[in-house]
Amino acid sequence: MKMKRGIIMNPGMIPAVVSLILIFAGSALQAQQEASLTVNADLGEKQISRHIYGHFSEHLGRCIYGGYWVGEDSEIPNTRGIRTDVVEALKKTAIPNLRWPGGCFADEYHWRDGVGPQENRPTMINTHWGGVTEDNSFGTHEFLDLCNQLETEPVVVGNVGSGTPEELSKWVEYINFDGVSPMANMRRENGREDPWNVVYWGIGNENWGCGGHMSPEYYAELYKRFATYARNYGDTRLRKIAGGANTTDYNWTEVLMKNIPHWMMWGLSLHHYTTWWENKGPATGFEEDRYFDVLRRCIEIEDVIDRHITIMDKYDPAKRVALVVDEWGTWYNVEPGTNPGFLFQQNTMRDAFVAGISLNYFNEKSDRIKMANIAQTVNVLQALVFTDEEKMLLTPTYHVFEMYKVHHDATLLPVDLVSGSYEFEGKKLPSLSASASLDAQGRIHISLVNIHPDEDSEMTIDLRGMEVSKVNGRILTSGDVGDHNTFSDPEKVKPEEFTDMKLKKSILTATIPAGSVVVLELF
Ligand code: AHR
């Protein structure tokens, strides 16, 4: 793939002066596209739930163990066994929720094995993920302590595949009941007086696959049984999420919407990964065909989700049931030499674009999509954070989540985008993706992604319906769309101030560089 800004050779291989001339010539010749965006600042109606910016962390590879949990005796700085650096980093993104313990792991997990004195906890085999021994040292108390330290809402996924309604019912009682009962008393004996009042509960995971290979009709019946006995205690009204479809399984959505009474289900989930199941390709060092195809698959999520939404609209025109995209993100081949069951992959600017485009789209659909969870936060799949013993680094995807936090709970502003195209071997994608919102302080935020690897977009942005006089911007870009952070160069990709713009009355002109994510603030 060509590098951006016309730099086609490694400047280190030629004398510095010549390389500077080449860089200058490359910049001058940089191709540009024309684009326009109208932001209707006075037409906002829908709220973007901050839960769209949610996370998923499973007992998988080094996500929990080594990622969050190092144990109290570790030399790595921690609070009650939970890494301080990871907590501090995620808090800067205002992480709104965390889904746990799986994933496929959830339907094999028996919560009682993960409470009580650590030395008495039984071990189990994590059959899905590498066949490793799980010692259950990270269980309910540790997870809810993590959520407390992160100041985030827990999303607990119950075991439907190999569990019972009684087991889930007792877990809810253990976590949420304030009075005297066998489970609440056991919680107190284990050191926690007050209930945690967890609101979000997943009723199983991927029950069409690793969660029991069920038919949608059978799962819908089971859902009703399990959900019935997951009780509300005190003022805590549970928001129960039905295990949803895989990608294009529209029949699953249809059957669940038809057969489960809507008052029993706060949300219906959907999983969509940007991947090829046969040959996932490398996370780094990819050629342009893979670059283009990953972004094509990312943009395709919009049609897939739109079809699920159409089915939901048929049964629920008032949009009472939330669509919960509780696993999404890129999925590549694991890094060479790492355990194939641990799903560890690098994270480049390409992943930042997938994150930016997906989040822009979720914002647009925020009247139906009320929650989404990227898979997975630390050291697994499209992670935000990598750890290596005592070291930690932030990925390009992290920076997108941090830059986009301005959209949390803001009012979505309708936009009209006219974009140029990114063409590869006769196929075309729009170069740009955009979303805008108005926050409680009256500031407009616009998030833009330019996936074109070589061409900038010269944008005219019309802020219709509001007077603004100031603009600030931040940009995430790098020399090459395959650039990424490593432990030897942890800040190669990081946000910078963006200044390439001019504001005149309510018209902003800005050059959105090839291969970039830009967030603008206007007030
Ligand atoms: O995120 C990895 C796995 O992908 C999850 O455990 C499962 O739900 C999905 O198939």
Side-chain angles (χ1 to χ4, degrees):
M1 185 190 301
K2 242 169 61 175
M3 292 178 83
K4 289 197 303 163
R5 303 197 177 83
I7 304 166
I8 51 171
M9 62 181 83
N10 178 357
M13 294 165 61
I14 51 178
V17 176
V18 178
S19 73
L20 274 176
I21 291 167
L22 279 177
I23 290 166
F24 179 75
S27 303
L29 294 174
Q30 178 81 24
Q32 287 203 334
Q33 302 191 342
E34 297 291 313
S36 69
L37 181 75
T38 304
V39 177
N40 293 294
D42 54 349
L43 295 182
E45 282 174 1
K46 313 181 216 168
Q47 198 193 32
I48 299 169
S49 171
R50 66 183 185 286
H51 289 297
I52 281 175
Y53 292 81
H55 288 258
F56 167 45
S57 290
E58 180 168 13
H59 287 239
L60 194 177
R62 296 183 304 109
C63 185
I64 300 293
Y65 297 107
Y68 295 106
W69 179 254
V70 286
E72 281 180 295
D73 299 333
S74 172
E75 293 193 346
I76 298 171
N78 68 83
T79 304
R80 293 181 294 281
I82 295 164
R83 294 181 75 120
T84 314
D85 52 358
V86 172
V87 167
E88 289 310 315
L90 292 174
K91 273 171 77 174
K92 290 193 185 124
T93 69
I95 175 174
N97 69 60
L98 185 59
R99 177 177 184 256
W100 171 87
C104 295
F105 183 79
D107 283 285
E108 264 190 327
Y109 182 63
H110 299 286
W111 68 268
R112 280 191 178 90
D113 296 345
V115 297
Q118 302 258 349
E119 60 280 10
N120 296 345
R121 297 186 191 179
T123 60
M124 66 179 280
I125 307 166
N126 191 334
T127 53
H128 288 291
W129 307 120
V132 294
T133 302
E134 160 70 56
D135 70 2
N136 278 307
S137 51
F138 189 91
T140 301
H141 290 247
E142 292 76 18
F143 170 65
L144 293 168
D145 188 17
L146 168 64
C147 291
N148 192 40
Q149 291 185 35
L150 289 169
E151 295 168 16
T152 198
E153 284 234 31
V155 181
V156 176
V157 183
N159 179 345
V160 170
S162 68
T164 63
E166 185 200 9
E167 183 182 19
L168 178 58
S169 168
K170 296 250 157 79
W171 203 7
V172 177
E173 181 187 321
Y174 185 91
I175 289 179
N176 283 357
F177 188 56
D178 198 14
V180 174
S181 81
M183 293 302 112
N185 292 352
M186 198 206 306
R187 180 189 72 230
R188 291 187 189 99
E189 279 160 27
N190 289 334
R192 170 82 186 190
E193 178 59 36
D194 296 330
W196 285 280
N197 302 323
V198 171
V199 170
Y200 294 101
W201 289 82
I203 310 293
N205 170 78
E206 295 197 353
N207 302 93
W208 43 263
C210 64
H213 293 282
M214 301 173 192
S215 69
E217 290 80 7
Y218 179 66
Y219 173 74
E221 293 308 304
L222 272 191
Y223 176 88
K224 289 186 270 184
R225 280 188 69 205
F226 278 72
T228 298
Y229 300 101
R231 303 288 191 193
N232 294 326
Y233 294 109
D235 295 334
T236 306
R237 309 283 97 184
L238 303 194
R239 294 185 159 184
K240 296 168 206 167
I241 302 164
N246 185 26
T247 306
T248 54
D249 185 355
Y250 304 109
N251 182 49
W252 185 277
T253 297
E254 178 101 34
V255 172
L256 266 55
M257 287 303 289
K258 194 150 107 192
N259 294 338
I260 300 176
H262 296 171
W263 61 265
M264 288 190 93
M265 143 171 95
W266 175 78
L268 172 59
S269 100
L270 172 68
H271 290 179
H272 182 98
Y273 284 96
T274 303
T275 190
W276 300 255
W277 294 110
E278 331 72 61
N279 173 13
K280 299 182 178 68
T284 56
F286 43 82
E287 300 294 328
E288 186 162 7
D289 56 346
R290 282 287 171 162
Y291 174 72
F292 185 91
D293 238 33
V294 163
L295 292 160
R296 180 179 63 75
R297 282 172 188 260
C298 163
I299 291 168
E300 271 173 12
I301 191 179
E302 303 184 6
D303 291 337
V304 171
I305 295 182
D306 283 351
R307 280 187 68 178
H308 285 283
I309 290 178
T310 305
I311 295 165
M312 293 181 80
D313 286 348
K314 184 166 95 183
Y315 292 96
D316 173 33
K319 298 188 189 287
R320 222 201 122 270
V321 180
L323 181 61
V324 177
V325 188
D326 52 14
E327 290 186 27
W328 67 274
T330 53
W331 191 323
Y332 309 119
N333 295 336
V334 297
E335 291 305 316
T338 64
N339 187 328
F342 282 13
L343 308 186
F344 174 63
Q345 64 189 38
Q346 247 297 356
N347 193 293
T348 67
M349 284 299 298
R350 178 176 66 172
D351 297 271
F353 304 150
V354 169
I357 294 169
S358 303
L359 293 168
N360 281 347
Y361 169 75
F362 296 156
N363 283 355
E364 296 308 305
K365 298 289 165 176
S366 52
D367 56 349
R368 179 65 84 180
I369 302 178
K370 306 279 185 205
M371 182 181 276
N373 308 73
I374 190 164
Q376 303 192 3
T377 324
V378 191
N379 293 332
V380 169
L381 297 176
Q382 193 176 348
L384 279 78
V385 171
F386 292 161
T387 62
D388 180 12
E389 298 296 339
E390 78 292 352
K391 290 180 281 200
M392 184 196 76
L393 70 74
L394 310 175
T395 67
T397 298
Y398 171 94
H399 293 304
V400 172
F401 272 73
E402 191 277 319
M403 290 164 73
Y404 273 50
K405 70 182 173 198
V406 291
H407 288 310
H408 291 197
D409 288 337
T411 303
L412 178 73
L413 298 178
V415 294
D416 184 17
L417 172 67
V418 179
S419 163
S421 305
Y422 167 34
E423 204 169 333
F424 177 73
E425 292 183 346
K427 291 171 275 175
K428 277 187 189 173
L429 294 174
S431 297
L432 295 170
S433 151
S435 180
S437 69
L438 181 68
D439 73 8
Q441 287 73 43
R443 291 171 303 194
I444 293 177
H445 293 103
I446 306 172
S447 45
L448 296 152
V449 184
N450 183 0
I451 60 169
H452 203 299
D454 307 305
E455 296 185 12
D456 299 347
S457 274
E458 194 57 46
M459 287 204 86
T460 306
I461 302 177
D462 181 2
L463 296 144
R464 214 202 49 72
M466 188 168 147
E467 281 186 17
V468 290
S469 57
K470 287 221 165 55
V471 59
N472 299 319
R474 293 174 78 202
I475 182 166
L476 188 71
T477 191
S478 194
D480 188 283
V481 292
D483 280 352
H484 54 278
N485 293 333
T486 59
F487 286 104
S488 52
D489 192 0
E491 297 206 348
K492 184 177 180 70
V493 180
K494 64 172 184 195
E496 312 274 350
E497 195 185 349
F498 177 68
T499 52
D500 201 359
M501 55 191 168
K502 260 193 211 109
L503 181 64
K504 209 168 173 196
K505 296 209 170 142
S506 64
I507 304 290
L508 178 76
T509 48
T511 304
I512 309 303
S516 68
V517 180
V518 171
V519 174
L520 305 173
E521 177 176 75
L522 296 117
F523 51 98

